[in-house]
Amino acid sequence: MAKISFEGSQAMQAEGIDVPYLLHECQQLVNADEALRRTKFVQGAADGYFEHIGRHIISLTSWVTDHIPFAISDIALAPQPIAKELLAIFVVAGIIGILSSDVSATQKTAELVDTVKGMFIGTGTGFLIFMLTYGYRYFRTPLEQKLGIVKEPFDVTEETAFVISKLNELSESRKLERDEQIAEAHKAVKEFFENYYPPVRTAHRVKKSLFSKMLLKTMGFLGICNPFIQEIISTIEVIPELYAHEFAHANGAAPEPSAQIAGVIAQISSEDPSVQYQGYSAWLYQLISHLISENKFEEILKKLCSAWLNERSLEECKERWNTLEEVYNADNWCRRKERWYRELLLKLTGQEGVNVAYVDAPLALLANWRKQQANATAS
């Protein structure tokens, strides 16, 4: 790191100039410039890897998963509620087996060392595969940077009024069936991403897990994009915006805020009113998720009614809540553990907590995007 110094600093101090403060501020500017250079280098490397290698891996694995009728990810999803405990039991049992074996102390030590080496090699190999197939996407040029938007404070009342007005305009649009929702979400997200990143072939299918009920109740999983094989899984069907969100992950948006705003903006930008309706519905559910931390759902419904939300959207909100109320309110051991691990994963990938990453940050970005769109229209 470059260090700054001034010649003649004594003379400057004699003139009443606060040299230590000036040095500190200049050093901060230099450090910020160096950090920016490193960030651009890392983003450039990740973007280059995606363009020349990563997107071809995605295309290949997506093609394979699309031609397999069942959810391959179920192999890994089935033991999810107790996966960490099973791993710990396996490790402890292995160590006990080695220590209790009828061999010399030297052999036991050698076996323990080999076991520990094997664990590190296995973990390292898994991490390397993850980084080569998905993890590098966290270091790509962020979508919000491509869009030229930033997080800014937003007025939830103003945003809600805007979204409700759009939903009311589109309430007469044709309601899409599940297969149509998936197809249109895939098309909208693909077209949206091709405006900012090199094109990639992603999975067209959204599969239903055999363990949907268990994953929903014990882990709170609504949708999953398998980071290794790009397979998209849905555990529930009353939340069509999940399809666009997971397709955004598959197209390369790893951070949760990026995937959230991509799903919304891609569908809003469609020329089909039915797809636009899905986008604004997703935006409304984001706002409800923000409000629900401070209000009961019944109170939010009253607010939506008083704001003249159309009957179709209101009924969809009620159906969604009736289905997910148990999931939102679940406080079992598995859910607490899952929340802790999700918070940890978000922090390890440079993101903020669950509520911020999935709700507040996307809403702040969408508010800024809406303002930009309004300014562009006005000019």
Side-chain angles (χ1 to χ4, degrees), residues 30-228:
V30 170
N31 294 347
D33 181 64
E34 290 182 352
L36 181 61
R37 288 174 185 271
R38 287 195 297 270
T39 300
K40 286 185 175 180
F41 173 78
V42 172
Q43 288 178 352
D47 288 342
Y49 177 83
F50 173 80
E51 181 175 358
H52 299 292
I53 301 174
R55 66 193 183 107
H56 301 298
I57 295 175
I58 295 172
S59 298
L60 176 61
T61 53
S62 298
W63 182 86
V64 172
T65 57
D66 265 347
H67 285 79
I68 297 175
F70 57 89
I72 312 170
S73 304
D74 275 347
I75 298 170
L77 291 174
Q80 270 300 311
I82 55 171
K84 285 79 179 178
E85 290 72 23
L86 288 174
L87 178 61
I89 291 170
F90 175 77
V91 172
V92 171
I95 293 173
I96 292 174
I98 293 171
L99 294 176
S100 61
S101 61
D102 189 19
V103 295
S104 65
T106 304
Q107 286 179 301
K108 287 180 181 179
T109 303
E111 288 181 11
L112 277 173
V113 170
D114 288 341
T115 300
V116 173
K117 283 183 180 178
M119 289 170 56
F120 276 108
I121 291 172
T123 303
T125 302
F127 178 74
L128 177 62
I129 294 172
F130 170 76
M131 290 302 297
L132 292 175
T133 57
Y134 192 88
Y136 70 90
R137 304 180 201 182
Y138 288 105
F139 302 98
R140 294 173 65 199
T141 303
L143 177 61
E144 45 269 37
Q145 187 175 322
K146 294 272 190 180
L147 291 169
I149 58 177
V150 295
K151 289 186 288 186
E152 65 173 28
F154 61 93
D155 185 329
V156 66
T157 303
E158 180 183 335
E159 297 303 306
T160 304
F162 167 76
V163 174
I164 286 177
S165 68
K166 290 295 184 180
L167 283 171
N168 288 346
E169 289 177 17
L170 298 164
S171 61
E172 298 300 320
S173 61
R174 186 174 68 86
K175 187 172 182 179
L176 302 176
E177 298 298 327
R178 180 177 182 272
D179 289 345
E180 292 177 303
Q181 291 172 348
I182 293 171
E184 292 297 337
H186 181 276
K187 177 184 174 184
V189 171
K190 181 178 175 61
E191 290 177 352
F192 173 75
F193 271 87
E194 287 180 355
N195 292 323
Y196 304 100
Y197 298 104
V200 59
R201 185 211 185 278
T202 57
H204 290 71
R205 300 178 61 182
V206 176
K207 300 177 183 178
K208 191 78 179 285
S209 171
L210 293 173
F211 309 101
S212 291
K213 289 185 178 180
M214 179 269 290
L215 292 170
L216 189 62
K217 291 183 179 180
T218 61
M219 305 296 289
F221 289 167
L222 304 178
I224 304 155
C225 177
N226 187 313
F228 299 102

